[in-house]
Amino acid sequence: MGAPTDRTRLRRVSEKAAYDRATIDAVLDAMPLAHVGYVMNGAPVVIPTLQWREGDRIYWHGSSASRSLKAGRGMQVCVTVTLTDAMVLARSGLEHSVNHRSVMVFGQAEWITDAAAKARHLQAMIDNLFPGRWPQLRPITDQEIKSTGILSLPLSEASAKIAAHPPGSTDAEEDRAWPVWSGLVPINLTMGAPIPAPDLPEGVTLPAHAANYRFGFKSD
Amino acid sequence: MGAPTDRTRLRRVSEKAAYDRATIDAVLDAMPLAHVGYVMNGAPVVIPTLQWREGDRIYWHGSSASRSLKAGRGMQVCVTVTLTDAMVLARSGLEHSVNHRSVMVFGQAEWITDAAAKARHLQAMIDNLFPGRWPQLRPITDQEIKSTGILSLPLSEASAKIAAHPPGSTDAEEDRAWPVWSGLVPINLTMGAPIPAPDLPEGVTLPAHAANYRFGFKSD
């Protein structure tokens, strides 16, 4: 592709890698959905799961018996979290893209074994992903803790990629006069009106934590 | 965990695997964001990208020089596409989850080399991901085609997982009387008002394809 053109220079400005924890944490805290990559029998497997962050580590959980969770124990994994912000409609086909913020975390997944530690992390999961609910929930049982596997990864090998092209900016200078509409179509993630269980006990009303639920309600 | 309890039986009903193409295609067509898993130097790498479907295959593209794209050539990959539908607020912590639809596609990624074929697939990309724009765009150049890499995967080894728990349904029978609100908080993905480039040529107005843009506008 030869020497940098206007186009590649532009890309460098609006699509950048970041390694600072504030940027990384902001993405992880705003999007619980993660895609966890394992290697099983030499082949990659990518599993969607919910992650939560506690300080310098991220966590995810599942059944202790889960094949993919067990495969992650002590193994090299890659956890990727992606937020999509806008579709980029450019003047030329190949400059179309999606503005996004993503974080990749690499490392050896640690399996939490201590029952008391597992209980603490499961409370932290609820406090992070479903804030406000923990004190009201039916308490977790020892058997539930036993049958739950929790994996964790430090954020020491994490990086963010931020693509935040301003409207109309991805096209080369010489394409800007092309007579086609160009700009961004924002992608919004919002929460709808909560749908109650049909069998709620009498007197149980919609709490603020459900009425106002949104991703990224994190206090630490 | 011993014999199936009410809880595990319930899970089997509302969280199921599907292998039929109608279910698989519906997920792939509704969500362009994919997470592609490769193995590089023995370790997993999960990269977010946009995928599109043409009949029995999915495709994704990037710079020919891209390290991850080159790593995928002829290699075993796993492409996972996930739609999140609702947060599941249960009576017990461990029954909290997210209703979702996901598809995993496994296989050896094929690298498209023929320039004419690449040109056809890049048009199909625009027709799928940005429908209505192709005829108005600045035509793709030979140099652009050359510097673009396209990978493809057949849908022969694809499966879907659908978690569609009705409100309040994930808890065991004996937990249903617990006095906490339980139900679903729907997750909505919507498009905001398009933001035009500041330097649009005079007379270029917002087209219907941008004003009404949404994912899943697919006709095949």
Side-chain angles (χ1 to χ4, degrees), chain B residues 166-187:
Chain B
S169 68
T170 57
D171 285 301
E173 207 53 47
E174 59 270 27
D175 289 337
R176 305 265 170 117
W178 194 269
V180 61
W181 188 89
S182 170
L184 303 178
V185 178
I187 302 169

Side-chain angles (χ1 to χ4, degrees), chain A residues 35 46 80 82 90-91 94 96 133 136 138 148 175-176 178 181-184 186 188 190-192 194-195 197 199, chain B residues 35 46 78 80 82 90-91 94 96 133 136 138 148 175 178 181-184 186 188 190-195 197 199:
Chain A
H35 283 81
V46 178
T80 302
T82 307
R91 280 88 167 188
L94 283 168
H96 283 64
R133 283 183 75 72
Q136 301 172 40
R138 190 267 287 151
T148 300
D175 288 338
R176 305 265 169 116
W178 193 268
W181 188 89
S182 170
L184 303 178
N188 299 324
T190 58
M191 300 294 156
I195 305 168
D199 56 356
Chain B
H35 284 81
V46 178
C78 172
T80 301
T82 306
R91 280 90 165 186
L94 282 169
H96 283 63
R133 283 184 74 72
Q136 299 173 40
R138 191 268 287 153
T148 300
D175 289 337
W178 194 269
W181 188 89
S182 170
L184 303 178
N188 299 324
T190 56
M191 301 294 156
I195 305 168
D199 55 356

Side-chain angles (χ1 to χ4, degrees), chain B residues 29-218:
Chain B
D29 295 351
M31 178 43 72
L33 180 67
H35 284 81
V36 182
Y38 304 91
V39 179
M40 283 173 103
N41 305 321
V45 180
V46 178
I47 311 264
T49 194
L50 298 182
Q51 60 81 27
W52 70 98
R53 183 177 70 86
E54 297 178 43
D56 296 334
R57 304 184 74 95
I58 55 169
Y59 296 81
W60 64 102
H61 86 304
S63 159
S64 312
S66 149
R67 211 169 71 104
S68 61
L69 213 66
K70 282 197 286 192
R73 277 160 83 155
M75 293 259 301
Q76 192 70 22
V77 301
C78 172
V79 178
T80 301
V81 173
T82 306
L83 284 159
T84 52
D85 294 321
M87 296 304 278
V88 177
L89 279 58
R91 280 90 165 186
S92 64
L94 282 169
E95 296 299 336
H96 283 63
S97 66
V98 58
N99 277 346
H100 66 280
R101 291 165 284 157
S102 67
V103 164
M104 292 170 68
V105 189
F106 294 94
Q108 255 182 318
E110 188 191 320
W111 184 256
I112 314 289
T113 49
D114 180 68
K118 283 167 80 174
R120 276 197 309 277
H121 290 302
L122 291 174
Q123 175 173 355
M125 170 185 76
I126 297 292
D127 287 343
N128 277 287
L129 300 183
F130 303 93
R133 283 184 74 72
W134 182 260
Q136 299 173 40
L137 296 178
R138 191 268 287 153
I140 288 185
T141 65
D142 291 348
Q143 179 52 37
E144 283 179 320
I145 293 171
K146 203 179 219 173
S147 61
T148 300
I150 304 177
L151 286 174
S152 161
L153 209 51
L155 293 174
S156 42
E157 256 193 278
S159 63
K161 191 181 153 205
I162 312 290
H165 307 291
S169 68
T170 57
D171 285 301
E173 207 53 47
E174 59 270 27
D175 289 337
R176 305 265 170 117
W178 194 269
V180 61
W181 188 89
S182 170
L184 303 178
V185 178
I187 302 169
N188 299 324
L189 195 72
T190 56
M191 301 294 156
I195 305 168
D199 55 356
L200 286 181
E202 221 178 318
V204 171
T205 55
L206 183 69
H209 72 245
N212 306 323
Y213 185 85
R214 61 176 175 78
F215 292 155
F217 244 5
K218 183 154 174 166

